Amino acid sequence: QVQLVESGGGLVQAGGSLRLSCAASGSIFSINAMGWYRQAPGKQRELVAAITSGGTTNYADSVKGRFTISRDNAKNTVYLQMNSLKPEDTAVYYCNAGLYSGRGYSTHWGQGTQVTVSS
């Protein structure tokens, strides 16, 4: 059973920083792309940032220059460093990974972690 477990969310004032972590566990052979998505109340889930196994990154325009995605392949973990946070960054943040396990290729989601930015 593959699981993605997120941590690091919380309440922060505008201009502050938070670091999210997402660790994948289970019978994993290899992980392809990993990413962070977010969903604000009343809005669709959107991609925030993604990173390939080789380290190529992609960011939503709204977070470029403020957020940094990274990963530790040895720990099957992806991070999201969020700086200069704005109230509009408030959302539930979800980790996503595409990976190979004993069941072949599949995509998985974490349970979500709340990020609240106060003005």
Side-chain angles (χ1 to χ4, degrees), residues 38-119:
R38 67 186 180 188
Q39 187 166 19
K43 294 188 177 181
Q44 289 190 332
R45 190 173 297 190
E46 62 175 359
L47 175 68
V48 176
I51 184 168
T52 67
S53 57
T56 300
T57 58
N58 181 42
Y59 295 94
D61 288 342
S62 59
V63 307
K64 283 181 181 176
R66 300 188 298 123
F67 291 10
T68 302
I69 189 170
S70 62
R71 63 190 284 175
D72 185 335
N73 291 330
K75 296 182 179 179
N76 289 340
T77 299
V78 63
Y79 306 96
L80 186 67
Q81 177 67 43
M82 305 185 293
N83 299 328
S84 302
L85 283 160
K86 304 175 181 179
E88 51 263 43
D89 294 318
T90 295
V92 178
Y93 284 70
Y94 297 90
C95 173
N96 174 271
L99 55 87
Y100 288 93
S101 70
R103 296 187 175 186
Y105 183 81
S106 56
T107 58
H108 298 264
W109 291 92
Q111 80 283 0
T113 185
Q114 178 70 47
V115 171
T116 302
V117 184
S118 63
S119 57

Side-chain angles (χ1 to χ4, degrees), residues 5-56:
V5 178
E6 298 138 343
S7 60
L11 173 64
V12 65
Q13 288 189 333
S17 298
L18 284 174
R19 188 190 194 212
L20 305 183
S21 299
C22 172
S25 63
S27 300
I28 298 169
F29 296 159
S30 64
I31 302 177
N32 286 356
M34 303 184 81
W36 290 95
Y37 290 72
R38 67 186 180 188
Q39 187 166 19
K43 294 188 177 181
Q44 289 190 332
R45 190 173 297 190
E46 62 175 359
L47 175 68
V48 176
I51 184 168
T52 67
S53 57
T56 300

